[in-house]
Amino acid sequence: MDIFVTVMLIAMILLVVVVGAAVFVQQSGTLREIQKKLDMAQEHEKKRKDPEILRRERVALLDPLMLLESELHKRKPQELTPEEIDLIATSRARIIAISDDLKAANDWLGAPYDLEWFEYLERIPLLRTAYLNSGFADVAPLEQITSGN
């Protein structure tokens, strides 16, 4: 009878060790998955630009446009030079990208802090008029808008 109890006791200890090892392996796998997700979140956070840096970049893009607006007050041209059109086009593309980045990161504050490109363009009327007169603006003619084409 003593041998039977000893064998049962050893069997119970082995069973507890096997169950403990199985639980340990399962928990360590879960912890590895959690660590992987945390690492991915940290990488995403590093890749994401700081909203203040994006806003400063947007201001740096708007400053030359404001200077061009003041220059247009002096010379009153009907159309812009190709260099001025390029300046507007590159500024427009980057400002739209910055707005999209801010919206994607849920850092969009809205007016008066964050404005869309067309809202900035409305604040510089001479430049807007000259840009539209130059024929390089991405604006559909009124006939297309009203006819639905």
Side-chain angles (χ1 to χ4, degrees), residues 82-113:
E83 295 82 20
E84 293 168 339
I85 292 171
D86 287 342
L87 171 69
I88 295 169
T90 56
S91 297
R92 174 187 175 272
R94 187 62 193 132
I95 289 171
I96 290 172
I98 288 171
S99 296
D100 291 342
D101 289 346
L102 288 171
K103 289 176 185 175
N106 289 330
D107 288 320
W108 183 259
L109 298 177
Y113 306 106

Side-chain angles (χ1 to χ4, degrees), residues 24-130:
F24 176 76
V25 168
Q26 188 264 342
Q27 285 181 348
S28 65
T30 304
L31 289 174
R32 261 187 263 124
E33 289 176 20
I34 291 171
Q35 185 62 41
K36 188 185 283 186
K37 288 180 184 178
L38 286 173
D39 290 343
M40 288 174 47
Q42 288 174 348
E43 286 179 22
H44 175 70
E45 199 62 33
K46 288 178 186 175
K47 289 180 184 176
R48 188 178 134 208
K49 282 192 172 180
D50 183 29
E52 290 305 314
I53 293 172
L54 290 172
R55 288 185 177 95
R56 285 186 196 123
E57 183 181 348
R58 183 179 57 207
V59 168
L61 291 168
L62 288 169
D63 283 344
L65 296 178
M66 295 298 176
L67 290 173
L68 183 58
E69 173 77 6
S70 65
E71 185 180 318
L72 291 178
H73 276 287
K74 293 176 189 172
R75 64 176 202 206
K76 306 260 191 233
Q78 293 299 316
E79 291 189 357
L80 300 171
T81 65
E83 295 82 20
E84 293 168 339
I85 292 171
D86 287 342
L87 171 69
I88 295 169
T90 56
S91 297
R92 174 187 175 272
R94 187 62 193 132
I95 289 171
I96 290 172
I98 288 171
S99 296
D100 291 342
D101 289 346
L102 288 171
K103 289 176 185 175
N106 289 330
D107 288 320
W108 183 259
L109 298 177
Y113 306 106
D114 295 323
L115 301 175
E116 297 284 347
W117 164 250
F118 68 90
E119 293 170 319
Y120 287 117
L121 199 57
E122 288 175 1
R123 293 173 182 236
I124 43 179
L126 289 178
L127 185 65
R128 178 180 175 268
T129 303

